Amino acid sequence: MIKNQWYAILTSKEVKNTKPIAVKRMNLDLVLFRDKRGRLSCLMDMCSHRGAQISKGKVLDSSHIQCPFHGLEFDKDGKCKFIPALGKNNQGDLSRFNIKSYEVREKNGIIYIWYGEKEKIKGEPPFFDENIDEDFVYSEFKDTWNTHYSRSIENQLDVVHLPFVHHNTIGRGNKTLVNGPKIIIEKPDYIMTSANNEKDFGQIPKSPEECEIRSTYLKFKFPNIWMNRVSEKIAIIIFFAPIDDEKNVLYIRFYNKITSYKIINRIIAFFGIFANLIIERQDKRVVITQKPKRSSLKMKENLIPGDRPIIEYRKIRDELIKENEES
Ligand code: FES
Ligand SMILES: [Fe+2]
């Protein structure tokens, strides 16, 4: 993981009002919950008393979450507010029972966690506001891949795999020769590229300089969100929520504003997601077999020019990890 980043980890609708949920993200056992007004909190899911999972407890009217074992209460910042066994007039200083809390934000139906030091919080959680306006509607699904999230991201920047993994879907046409690809980098925020593959008639592949970013392009924003901008009216957005070093969950959204009627666009989104499901399963089948599960800048792979978007991803990720000291 890269420290001091806003990671997209869940969708807003997964955390229901007053029903705590336990999730493992970034190698951490977390509990997320909302109070009656819908305000979201995220704490370490381990009670400071005797280690029970707080997520098995409940959210009280006071907005505190109560451990199910001996009733210790914590506020949204993880501060211990009440220990029933001590008696209500004998609470004293409870600060040694405080538990770690995490800063969370929600936008566009995505929950982000600040993974790092709170004093270093900067910037806004990443999204594609420049492309996705409020006319868009989307449908989504999620799927867990047994690999490190870096491999899942690299797969979405891989223009070389299209005619093989997706030979009967988005990679139809036997376009095995890889031109470029052209890449635009805005450090440290995003990498943009687009596939420019052709049938191989014996021609020499074009250099990145001879290629351009096409109207269908890919954009990845650090640390873990990606978009395939298919056209002005269609986009696919995926965020790759790390569970641990060997697992991540892909949240896949199909966005469109094809007609001027949202209701029709919702129907299109409903069916559109099935095509994405087929493509996602094609990728998953192969990507989960890659070894090692976690990619890194200096590893034993023999790369080719078409892999450049992946190399650039690894370089920036490596820089960000070093800048923020790897955890
Ligand atoms: S373990 Fe949570 S109150 Fe005792
Ligand atoms: Fe793919």
Side-chain angles (χ1 to χ4, degrees):
M1 319 297 157
I2 312 168
K3 273 181 113 184
N4 299 322
Q5 306 284 318
W6 286 113
Y7 273 87
I9 61 159
L10 278 176
T11 57
S12 294
K13 63 173 188 266
E14 287 175 288
V15 187
K16 314 263 186 274
N17 269 15
T18 70
K19 175 99 182 78
I21 71 157
V23 285
K24 186 164 188 181
R25 293 288 187 266
M26 342 290 299
N27 272 316
L28 301 167
D29 290 311
L30 304 170
V31 51
L32 285 101
F33 62 96
R34 295 182 191 280
D35 65 15
K36 284 211 160 130
R37 290 167 55 193
R39 287 176 306 192
L40 183 68
S41 303
C42 177
L43 308 177
M44 188 75 100
D45 194 14
M46 192 174 89
C47 184
S48 52
H49 176 220
R50 289 184 53 223
Q53 258 187 299
I54 298 165
S55 54
K56 296 278 191 293
K58 58 186 177 194
V59 182
L60 306 174
D61 287 345
S62 57
S63 298
H64 296 161
I65 186 164
Q66 183 186 53
C67 179
F69 209 172
H70 314 97
L72 265 67
E73 291 179 24
F74 304 91
D75 72 6
K76 65 174 184 36
D77 299 316
K79 291 206 174 74
C80 183
K81 291 294 193 185
F82 190 57
I83 300 182
L86 298 180
K88 63 180 173 198
N89 292 320
N90 185 37
Q91 293 288 300
D93 178 11
L94 305 181
S95 59
R96 73 189 172 95
F97 293 92
N98 293 352
I99 49 181
K100 191 168 170 49
S101 69
Y102 293 87
E103 209 59 41
V104 278
R105 298 269 191 287
E106 287 186 276
K107 69 177 197 181
N108 303 304
I110 300 173
I111 294 174
Y112 297 82
I113 181 176
W114 179 255
Y115 180 73
E117 297 152 61
K118 283 191 181 176
E119 313 71 58
K120 294 198 174 159
I121 289 181
K122 60 175 180 328
E124 282 297 304
F127 192 70
F128 300 97
D129 298 313
E130 64 279 21
N131 294 90
I132 306 296
D133 60 37
E134 53 200 31
D135 293 335
F136 275 94
V137 299
Y138 67 87
S139 56
E140 72 182 350
F141 68 97
K142 64 173 178 174
D143 194 23
T144 301
W145 289 20
N146 289 335
T147 193
H148 189 261
Y149 80 111
S150 58
R151 291 296 199 180
S152 307
I153 289 169
E154 289 179 0
N155 173 55
Q156 303 300 339
L157 295 171
D158 182 342
V159 295
V160 185
H161 80 297
L162 294 167
F164 300 97
V165 171
H166 306 297
H167 62 94
N168 55 357
T169 54
I170 50 170
R172 264 193 302 265
N174 202 28
K175 296 180 185 169
T176 54
L177 183 133
V178 177
N179 291 309
K182 171 92 175 169
I183 301 172
I184 294 177
I185 295 170
E186 194 70 53
K187 271 191 192 173
D189 298 317
Y190 70 78
I191 299 172
M192 209 168 145
T193 190
S194 57
N196 201 341
N197 303 357
E198 286 178 328
K199 269 193 174 165
D200 189 350
F201 299 109
Q203 73 278 38
I204 304 295
K206 291 188 190 126
S207 68
E209 294 71 34
E210 292 170 286
C211 298
E212 51 187 34
I213 300 286
R214 301 177 137 191
S215 58
T216 296
Y217 60 81
L218 311 174
K219 199 172 190 181
F220 171 73
K221 292 194 176 180
F222 282 89
N224 70 332
I225 192 162
W226 169 95
M227 176 184 64
N228 176 0
R229 192 266 198 192
V230 180
S231 70
E232 205 152 288
K233 296 182 174 181
I234 301 175
I236 296 146
I237 290 180
I238 308 180
F239 64 91
F240 310 83
I243 297 174
D244 57 26
D245 290 334
E246 305 208 327
K247 278 198 273 335
N248 72 115
V249 192
L250 277 70
Y251 287 83
I252 300 171
R253 289 181 173 184
F254 176 76
Y255 282 83
N256 84 88
K257 55 172 184 180
I258 291 173
T259 75
S260 36
Y261 303 100
K262 276 199 172 164
I263 179 88
I264 296 178
N265 296 342
R266 287 216 167 84
I267 296 167
I268 295 171
F270 177 80
F271 288 105
I273 205 73
F274 291 104
N276 287 282
L277 187 69
I278 293 165
I279 295 160
E280 184 257 350
R281 291 297 143 93
Q282 291 181 324
D283 282 316
K284 179 179 179 179
R285 179 176 163 263
V286 180
V287 173
I288 59 171
T289 68
Q290 283 183 283
K291 286 181 185 160
K293 285 187 184 293
R294 180 186 185 280
S295 78
S296 49
L297 185 58
K298 294 201 170 75
M299 62 191 300
K300 284 189 190 131
E301 284 186 353
N302 292 305
L303 301 174
I304 53 176
D307 293 324
R308 249 193 78 225
I310 292 166
I311 299 169
E312 296 301 337
Y313 164 71
R314 289 181 185 175
K315 275 191 199 158
I316 300 175
R317 179 165 146 251
D318 192 66
E319 279 168 28
L320 288 171
I321 288 173
K322 284 190 180 130
E323 258 169 47
N324 293 287
E325 296 156 28
E326 193 181 357
S327 62

PDB file of all heavy atoms in Angstrom, residues 145 155 158-172 278-287:
ATOM      1  N   TRP A 145     -10.822 -10.553  -6.314  1.00  0.00           N
ATOM      2  CA  TRP A 145      -9.759 -11.231  -7.068  1.00  0.00           C
ATOM      3  C   TRP A 145      -8.659 -11.621  -6.082  1.00  0.00           C
ATOM      4  O   TRP A 145      -8.207 -10.771  -5.293  1.00  0.00           O
ATOM      5  CB  TRP A 145      -9.145 -10.304  -8.129  1.00  0.00           C
ATOM      6  CG  TRP A 145     -10.022  -9.994  -9.300  1.00  0.00           C
ATOM      7  CD1 TRP A 145     -11.374 -10.097  -9.387  1.00  0.00           C
ATOM      8  CD2 TRP A 145      -9.574  -9.499 -10.575  1.00  0.00           C
ATOM      9  NE1 TRP A 145     -11.806  -9.691 -10.639  1.00  0.00           N
ATOM     10  CE2 TRP A 145     -10.718  -9.321 -11.384  1.00  0.00           C
ATOM     11  CE3 TRP A 145      -8.319  -9.179 -11.107  1.00  0.00           C
ATOM     12  CZ2 TRP A 145     -10.645  -8.846 -12.691  1.00  0.00           C
ATOM     13  CZ3 TRP A 145      -8.249  -8.704 -12.408  1.00  0.00           C
ATOM     14  CH2 TRP A 145      -9.402  -8.546 -13.199  1.00  0.00           C
ATOM     15  N   ASN A 155      -3.605  -4.652 -15.042  1.00  0.00           N
ATOM     16  CA  ASN A 155      -4.398  -5.303 -16.090  1.00  0.00           C
ATOM     17  C   ASN A 155      -5.258  -4.289 -16.846  1.00  0.00           C
ATOM     18  O   ASN A 155      -5.480  -4.419 -18.049  1.00  0.00           O
ATOM     19  CB  ASN A 155      -5.276  -6.381 -15.446  1.00  0.00           C
ATOM     20  CG  ASN A 155      -6.253  -6.980 -16.430  1.00  0.00           C
ATOM     21  OD1 ASN A 155      -5.862  -7.459 -17.479  1.00  0.00           O
ATOM     22  ND2 ASN A 155      -7.523  -6.925 -16.111  1.00  0.00           N
ATOM     23  N   ASP A 158      -3.212  -2.441 -19.471  1.00  0.00           N
ATOM     24  CA  ASP A 158      -2.515  -3.365 -20.368  1.00  0.00           C
ATOM     25  C   ASP A 158      -3.209  -3.380 -21.731  1.00  0.00           C
ATOM     26  O   ASP A 158      -4.279  -3.958 -21.882  1.00  0.00           O
ATOM     27  CB  ASP A 158      -2.550  -4.758 -19.708  1.00  0.00           C
ATOM     28  CG  ASP A 158      -1.825  -5.809 -20.504  1.00  0.00           C
ATOM     29  OD1 ASP A 158      -1.571  -5.613 -21.715  1.00  0.00           O
ATOM     30  OD2 ASP A 158      -1.510  -6.857 -19.914  1.00  0.00           O
ATOM     31  N   VAL A 159      -2.561  -2.752 -22.724  1.00  0.00           N
ATOM     32  CA  VAL A 159      -3.180  -2.741 -24.063  1.00  0.00           C
ATOM     33  C   VAL A 159      -2.766  -3.966 -24.882  1.00  0.00           C
ATOM     34  O   VAL A 159      -3.344  -4.248 -25.926  1.00  0.00           O
ATOM     35  CB  VAL A 159      -2.837  -1.443 -24.840  1.00  0.00           C
ATOM     36  CG1 VAL A 159      -3.435  -0.235 -24.160  1.00  0.00           C
ATOM     37  CG2 VAL A 159      -1.324  -1.270 -25.014  1.00  0.00           C
ATOM     38  N   VAL A 160      -1.762  -4.697 -24.387  1.00  0.00           N
ATOM     39  CA  VAL A 160      -1.229  -5.841 -25.150  1.00  0.00           C
ATOM     40  C   VAL A 160      -2.133  -7.076 -25.043  1.00  0.00           C
ATOM     41  O   VAL A 160      -2.196  -7.897 -25.943  1.00  0.00           O
ATOM     42  CB  VAL A 160       0.210  -6.182 -24.661  1.00  0.00           C
ATOM     43  CG1 VAL A 160       0.830  -7.277 -25.518  1.00  0.00           C
ATOM     44  CG2 VAL A 160       1.108  -4.943 -24.664  1.00  0.00           C
ATOM     45  N   HIS A 161      -2.867  -7.176 -23.933  1.00  0.00           N
ATOM     46  CA  HIS A 161      -3.623  -8.410 -23.690  1.00  0.00           C
ATOM     47  C   HIS A 161      -4.937  -8.495 -24.473  1.00  0.00           C
ATOM     48  O   HIS A 161      -5.530  -9.567 -24.592  1.00  0.00           O
ATOM     49  CB  HIS A 161      -3.901  -8.574 -22.192  1.00  0.00           C
ATOM     50  CG  HIS A 161      -5.065  -7.765 -21.673  1.00  0.00           C
ATOM     51  ND1 HIS A 161      -5.114  -6.383 -21.689  1.00  0.00           N
ATOM     52  CD2 HIS A 161      -6.249  -8.155 -21.119  1.00  0.00           C
ATOM     53  CE1 HIS A 161      -6.258  -5.976 -21.158  1.00  0.00           C
ATOM     54  NE2 HIS A 161      -6.971  -7.021 -20.805  1.00  0.00           N
ATOM     55  N   LEU A 162      -5.370  -7.381 -25.024  1.00  0.00           N
ATOM     56  CA  LEU A 162      -6.726  -7.320 -25.594  1.00  0.00           C
ATOM     57  C   LEU A 162      -7.062  -8.435 -26.604  1.00  0.00           C
ATOM     58  O   LEU A 162      -8.075  -9.114 -26.450  1.00  0.00           O
ATOM     59  CB  LEU A 162      -6.973  -5.942 -26.213  1.00  0.00           C
ATOM     60  CG  LEU A 162      -7.008  -4.784 -25.202  1.00  0.00           C
ATOM     61  CD1 LEU A 162      -6.944  -3.428 -25.908  1.00  0.00           C
ATOM     62  CD2 LEU A 162      -8.265  -4.864 -24.343  1.00  0.00           C
ATOM     63  N   PRO A 163      -6.217  -8.659 -27.656  1.00  0.00           N
ATOM     64  CA  PRO A 163      -6.615  -9.679 -28.657  1.00  0.00           C
ATOM     65  C   PRO A 163      -6.530 -11.117 -28.150  1.00  0.00           C
ATOM     66  O   PRO A 163      -7.007 -12.031 -28.827  1.00  0.00           O
ATOM     67  CB  PRO A 163      -5.621  -9.456 -29.796  1.00  0.00           C
ATOM     68  CG  PRO A 163      -4.451  -8.792 -29.172  1.00  0.00           C
ATOM     69  CD  PRO A 163      -4.966  -7.987 -28.015  1.00  0.00           C
ATOM     70  N   PHE A 164      -5.946 -11.302 -26.974  1.00  0.00           N
ATOM     71  CA  PHE A 164      -5.817 -12.669 -26.446  1.00  0.00           C
ATOM     72  C   PHE A 164      -6.873 -12.947 -25.390  1.00  0.00           C
ATOM     73  O   PHE A 164      -7.739 -13.793 -25.565  1.00  0.00           O
ATOM     74  CB  PHE A 164      -4.392 -12.874 -25.894  1.00  0.00           C
ATOM     75  CG  PHE A 164      -3.369 -12.682 -26.986  1.00  0.00           C
ATOM     76  CD1 PHE A 164      -2.721 -11.471 -27.145  1.00  0.00           C
ATOM     77  CD2 PHE A 164      -3.138 -13.692 -27.902  1.00  0.00           C
ATOM     78  CE1 PHE A 164      -1.833 -11.280 -28.196  1.00  0.00           C
ATOM     79  CE2 PHE A 164      -2.258 -13.514 -28.952  1.00  0.00           C
ATOM     80  CZ  PHE A 164      -1.602 -12.299 -29.096  1.00  0.00           C
ATOM     81  N   VAL A 165      -6.824 -12.177 -24.319  1.00  0.00           N
ATOM     82  CA  VAL A 165      -7.783 -12.403 -23.225  1.00  0.00           C
ATOM     83  C   VAL A 165      -9.216 -12.107 -23.694  1.00  0.00           C
ATOM     84  O   VAL A 165     -10.165 -12.787 -23.316  1.00  0.00           O
ATOM     85  CB  VAL A 165      -7.404 -11.526 -22.010  1.00  0.00           C
ATOM     86  CG1 VAL A 165      -8.488 -11.566 -20.943  1.00  0.00           C
ATOM     87  CG2 VAL A 165      -6.074 -11.983 -21.419  1.00  0.00           C
ATOM     88  N   HIS A 166      -9.345 -11.091 -24.539  1.00  0.00           N
ATOM     89  CA  HIS A 166     -10.694 -10.667 -24.962  1.00  0.00           C
ATOM     90  C   HIS A 166     -10.924 -10.913 -26.461  1.00  0.00           C
ATOM     91  O   HIS A 166     -11.528 -10.088 -27.150  1.00  0.00           O
ATOM     92  CB  HIS A 166     -10.881  -9.176 -24.647  1.00  0.00           C
ATOM     93  CG  HIS A 166     -10.610  -8.810 -23.229  1.00  0.00           C
ATOM     94  ND1 HIS A 166     -11.346  -9.308 -22.182  1.00  0.00           N
ATOM     95  CD2 HIS A 166      -9.671  -7.999 -22.666  1.00  0.00           C
ATOM     96  CE1 HIS A 166     -10.870  -8.814 -21.033  1.00  0.00           C
ATOM     97  NE2 HIS A 166      -9.854  -8.033 -21.308  1.00  0.00           N
ATOM     98  N   HIS A 167     -10.396 -12.028 -26.955  1.00  0.00           N
ATOM     99  CA  HIS A 167     -10.435 -12.289 -28.405  1.00  0.00           C
ATOM    100  C   HIS A 167     -11.846 -12.306 -28.981  1.00  0.00           C
ATOM    101  O   HIS A 167     -12.042 -12.021 -30.156  1.00  0.00           O
ATOM    102  CB  HIS A 167      -9.731 -13.623 -28.721  1.00  0.00           C
ATOM    103  CG  HIS A 167     -10.397 -14.792 -28.064  1.00  0.00           C
ATOM    104  ND1 HIS A 167     -11.343 -15.553 -28.704  1.00  0.00           N
ATOM    105  CD2 HIS A 167     -10.283 -15.286 -26.810  1.00  0.00           C
ATOM    106  CE1 HIS A 167     -11.781 -16.489 -27.867  1.00  0.00           C
ATOM    107  NE2 HIS A 167     -11.155 -16.342 -26.706  1.00  0.00           N
ATOM    108  N   ASN A 168     -12.841 -12.607 -28.143  1.00  0.00           N
ATOM    109  CA  ASN A 168     -14.215 -12.662 -28.671  1.00  0.00           C
ATOM    110  C   ASN A 168     -15.092 -11.526 -28.134  1.00  0.00           C
ATOM    111  O   ASN A 168     -16.291 -11.519 -28.322  1.00  0.00           O
ATOM    112  CB  ASN A 168     -14.852 -14.018 -28.358  1.00  0.00           C
ATOM    113  CG  ASN A 168     -14.816 -14.336 -26.869  1.00  0.00           C
ATOM    114  OD1 ASN A 168     -14.255 -13.562 -26.085  1.00  0.00           O
ATOM    115  ND2 ASN A 168     -15.407 -15.443 -26.475  1.00  0.00           N
ATOM    116  N   THR A 169     -14.481 -10.570 -27.432  1.00  0.00           N
ATOM    117  CA  THR A 169     -15.277  -9.427 -26.923  1.00  0.00           C
ATOM    118  C   THR A 169     -14.602  -8.115 -27.359  1.00  0.00           C
ATOM    119  O   THR A 169     -14.524  -7.837 -28.542  1.00  0.00           O
ATOM    120  CB  THR A 169     -15.427  -9.499 -25.379  1.00  0.00           C
ATOM    121  OG1 THR A 169     -14.127  -9.614 -24.780  1.00  0.00           O
ATOM    122  CG2 THR A 169     -16.278 -10.681 -24.955  1.00  0.00           C
ATOM    123  N   ILE A 170     -14.073  -7.364 -26.395  1.00  0.00           N
ATOM    124  CA  ILE A 170     -13.493  -6.054 -26.753  1.00  0.00           C
ATOM    125  C   ILE A 170     -12.173  -6.140 -27.522  1.00  0.00           C
ATOM    126  O   ILE A 170     -11.702  -5.138 -28.035  1.00  0.00           O
ATOM    127  CB  ILE A 170     -13.276  -5.158 -25.498  1.00  0.00           C
ATOM    128  CG1 ILE A 170     -12.523  -5.938 -24.394  1.00  0.00           C
ATOM    129  CG2 ILE A 170     -14.587  -4.607 -24.986  1.00  0.00           C
ATOM    130  CD1 ILE A 170     -12.062  -5.072 -23.236  1.00  0.00           C
ATOM    131  N   GLY A 171     -11.608  -7.358 -27.635  1.00  0.00           N
ATOM    132  CA  GLY A 171     -10.338  -7.498 -28.363  1.00  0.00           C
ATOM    133  C   GLY A 171     -10.507  -8.223 -29.696  1.00  0.00           C
ATOM    134  O   GLY A 171      -9.547  -8.740 -30.260  1.00  0.00           O
ATOM    135  N   ARG A 172     -11.750  -8.227 -30.203  1.00  0.00           N
ATOM    136  CA  ARG A 172     -12.013  -8.901 -31.482  1.00  0.00           C
ATOM    137  C   ARG A 172     -11.213  -8.275 -32.617  1.00  0.00           C
ATOM    138  O   ARG A 172     -10.915  -7.085 -32.585  1.00  0.00           O
ATOM    139  CB  ARG A 172     -13.502  -8.765 -31.842  1.00  0.00           C
ATOM    140  CG  ARG A 172     -14.355  -9.940 -31.434  1.00  0.00           C
ATOM    141  CD  ARG A 172     -15.705  -9.853 -32.104  1.00  0.00           C
ATOM    142  NE  ARG A 172     -16.361  -8.590 -31.747  1.00  0.00           N
ATOM    143  CZ  ARG A 172     -17.239  -8.464 -30.745  1.00  0.00           C
ATOM    144  NH1 ARG A 172     -17.591  -9.511 -30.050  1.00  0.00           N
ATOM    145  NH2 ARG A 172     -17.775  -7.297 -30.490  1.00  0.00           N
ATOM    146  N   ILE A 278     -18.798 -10.175 -18.267  1.00  0.00           N
ATOM    147  CA  ILE A 278     -18.107 -11.170 -19.116  1.00  0.00           C
ATOM    148  C   ILE A 278     -16.642 -10.771 -19.307  1.00  0.00           C
ATOM    149  O   ILE A 278     -15.730 -11.587 -19.156  1.00  0.00           O
ATOM    150  CB  ILE A 278     -18.820 -11.288 -20.491  1.00  0.00           C
ATOM    151  CG1 ILE A 278     -20.208 -11.901 -20.286  1.00  0.00           C
ATOM    152  CG2 ILE A 278     -17.994 -12.114 -21.472  1.00  0.00           C
ATOM    153  CD1 ILE A 278     -21.137 -11.747 -21.476  1.00  0.00           C
ATOM    154  N   ILE A 279     -16.421  -9.490 -19.587  1.00  0.00           N
ATOM    155  CA  ILE A 279     -15.049  -9.006 -19.809  1.00  0.00           C
ATOM    156  C   ILE A 279     -14.225  -9.144 -18.530  1.00  0.00           C
ATOM    157  O   ILE A 279     -13.076  -9.585 -18.552  1.00  0.00           O
ATOM    158  CB  ILE A 279     -15.090  -7.539 -20.302  1.00  0.00           C
ATOM    159  CG1 ILE A 279     -15.758  -7.495 -21.672  1.00  0.00           C
ATOM    160  CG2 ILE A 279     -13.696  -6.930 -20.351  1.00  0.00           C
ATOM    161  CD1 ILE A 279     -16.298  -6.138 -22.060  1.00  0.00           C
ATOM    162  N   GLU A 280     -14.849  -8.814 -17.419  1.00  0.00           N
ATOM    163  CA  GLU A 280     -14.144  -8.899 -16.127  1.00  0.00           C
ATOM    164  C   GLU A 280     -13.742 -10.335 -15.816  1.00  0.00           C
ATOM    165  O   GLU A 280     -12.629 -10.599 -15.344  1.00  0.00           O
ATOM    166  CB  GLU A 280     -15.083  -8.352 -15.037  1.00  0.00           C
ATOM    167  CG  GLU A 280     -14.467  -8.279 -13.667  1.00  0.00           C
ATOM    168  CD  GLU A 280     -14.895  -9.372 -12.710  1.00  0.00           C
ATOM    169  OE1 GLU A 280     -15.837 -10.138 -13.030  1.00  0.00           O
ATOM    170  OE2 GLU A 280     -14.291  -9.481 -11.652  1.00  0.00           O
ATOM    171  N   ARG A 281     -14.608 -11.291 -16.129  1.00  0.00           N
ATOM    172  CA  ARG A 281     -14.278 -12.702 -15.864  1.00  0.00           C
ATOM    173  C   ARG A 281     -13.147 -13.175 -16.782  1.00  0.00           C
ATOM    174  O   ARG A 281     -12.330 -14.007 -16.386  1.00  0.00           O
ATOM    175  CB  ARG A 281     -15.513 -13.603 -16.055  1.00  0.00           C
ATOM    176  CG  ARG A 281     -16.579 -13.396 -15.007  1.00  0.00           C
ATOM    177  CD  ARG A 281     -16.084 -13.747 -13.603  1.00  0.00           C
ATOM    178  NE  ARG A 281     -16.634 -12.836 -12.621  1.00  0.00           N
ATOM    179  CZ  ARG A 281     -17.746 -13.030 -11.916  1.00  0.00           C
ATOM    180  NH1 ARG A 281     -18.458 -14.113 -12.075  1.00  0.00           N
ATOM    181  NH2 ARG A 281     -18.155 -12.129 -11.038  1.00  0.00           N
ATOM    182  N   GLN A 282     -13.101 -12.642 -17.994  1.00  0.00           N
ATOM    183  CA  GLN A 282     -11.995 -12.995 -18.892  1.00  0.00           C
ATOM    184  C   GLN A 282     -10.665 -12.532 -18.305  1.00  0.00           C
ATOM    185  O   GLN A 282      -9.673 -13.254 -18.318  1.00  0.00           O
ATOM    186  CB  GLN A 282     -12.212 -12.350 -20.278  1.00  0.00           C
ATOM    187  CG  GLN A 282     -13.376 -12.947 -21.046  1.00  0.00           C
ATOM    188  CD  GLN A 282     -13.560 -12.325 -22.431  1.00  0.00           C
ATOM    189  OE1 GLN A 282     -13.348 -11.131 -22.619  1.00  0.00           O
ATOM    190  NE2 GLN A 282     -13.967 -13.131 -23.400  1.00  0.00           N
ATOM    191  N   ASP A 283     -10.657 -11.322 -17.776  1.00  0.00           N
ATOM    192  CA  ASP A 283      -9.428 -10.788 -17.164  1.00  0.00           C
ATOM    193  C   ASP A 283      -9.042 -11.580 -15.921  1.00  0.00           C
ATOM    194  O   ASP A 283      -7.900 -11.984 -15.743  1.00  0.00           O
ATOM    195  CB  ASP A 283      -9.643  -9.327 -16.747  1.00  0.00           C
ATOM    196  CG  ASP A 283      -9.564  -8.378 -17.922  1.00  0.00           C
ATOM    197  OD1 ASP A 283      -8.658  -8.532 -18.755  1.00  0.00           O
ATOM    198  OD2 ASP A 283     -10.401  -7.456 -17.992  1.00  0.00           O
ATOM    199  N   LYS A 284     -10.032 -11.774 -15.072  1.00  0.00           N
ATOM    200  CA  LYS A 284      -9.777 -12.392 -13.766  1.00  0.00           C
ATOM    201  C   LYS A 284      -9.115 -13.767 -13.906  1.00  0.00           C
ATOM    202  O   LYS A 284      -8.155 -14.080 -13.214  1.00  0.00           O
ATOM    203  CB  LYS A 284     -11.105 -12.525 -13.010  1.00  0.00           C
ATOM    204  CG  LYS A 284     -10.985 -13.164 -11.640  1.00  0.00           C
ATOM    205  CD  LYS A 284     -12.353 -13.238 -10.962  1.00  0.00           C
ATOM    206  CE  LYS A 284     -12.264 -13.885  -9.599  1.00  0.00           C
ATOM    207  NZ  LYS A 284     -13.559 -13.938  -8.922  1.00  0.00           N
ATOM    208  N   ARG A 285      -9.624 -14.542 -14.848  1.00  0.00           N
ATOM    209  CA  ARG A 285      -9.137 -15.907 -15.061  1.00  0.00           C
ATOM    210  C   ARG A 285      -7.617 -15.945 -15.216  1.00  0.00           C
ATOM    211  O   ARG A 285      -6.947 -16.848 -14.724  1.00  0.00           O
ATOM    212  CB  ARG A 285      -9.836 -16.446 -16.320  1.00  0.00           C
ATOM    213  CG  ARG A 285      -9.448 -17.815 -16.709  1.00  0.00           C
ATOM    214  CD  ARG A 285     -10.261 -18.301 -17.918  1.00  0.00           C
ATOM    215  NE  ARG A 285      -9.557 -19.441 -18.492  1.00  0.00           N
ATOM    216  CZ  ARG A 285      -8.736 -19.352 -19.520  1.00  0.00           C
ATOM    217  NH1 ARG A 285      -8.553 -18.199 -20.137  1.00  0.00           N
ATOM    218  NH2 ARG A 285      -8.101 -20.422 -19.966  1.00  0.00           N
ATOM    219  N   VAL A 286      -7.071 -14.935 -15.894  1.00  0.00           N
ATOM    220  CA  VAL A 286      -5.633 -14.938 -16.161  1.00  0.00           C
ATOM    221  C   VAL A 286      -4.855 -14.154 -15.099  1.00  0.00           C
ATOM    222  O   VAL A 286      -3.808 -14.608 -14.621  1.00  0.00           O
ATOM    223  CB  VAL A 286      -5.356 -14.329 -17.564  1.00  0.00           C
ATOM    224  CG1 VAL A 286      -3.867 -14.333 -17.848  1.00  0.00           C
ATOM    225  CG2 VAL A 286      -6.110 -15.110 -18.624  1.00  0.00           C
ATOM    226  N   VAL A 287      -5.367 -13.008 -14.706  1.00  0.00           N
ATOM    227  CA  VAL A 287      -4.598 -12.117 -13.819  1.00  0.00           C
ATOM    228  C   VAL A 287      -4.333 -12.767 -12.453  1.00  0.00           C
ATOM    229  O   VAL A 287      -3.256 -12.592 -11.886  1.00  0.00           O
ATOM    230  CB  VAL A 287      -5.316 -10.750 -13.677  1.00  0.00           C
ATOM    231  CG1 VAL A 287      -4.632  -9.874 -12.641  1.00  0.00           C
ATOM    232  CG2 VAL A 287      -5.344 -10.039 -15.024  1.00  0.00           C
TER     233      VAL A 287
END
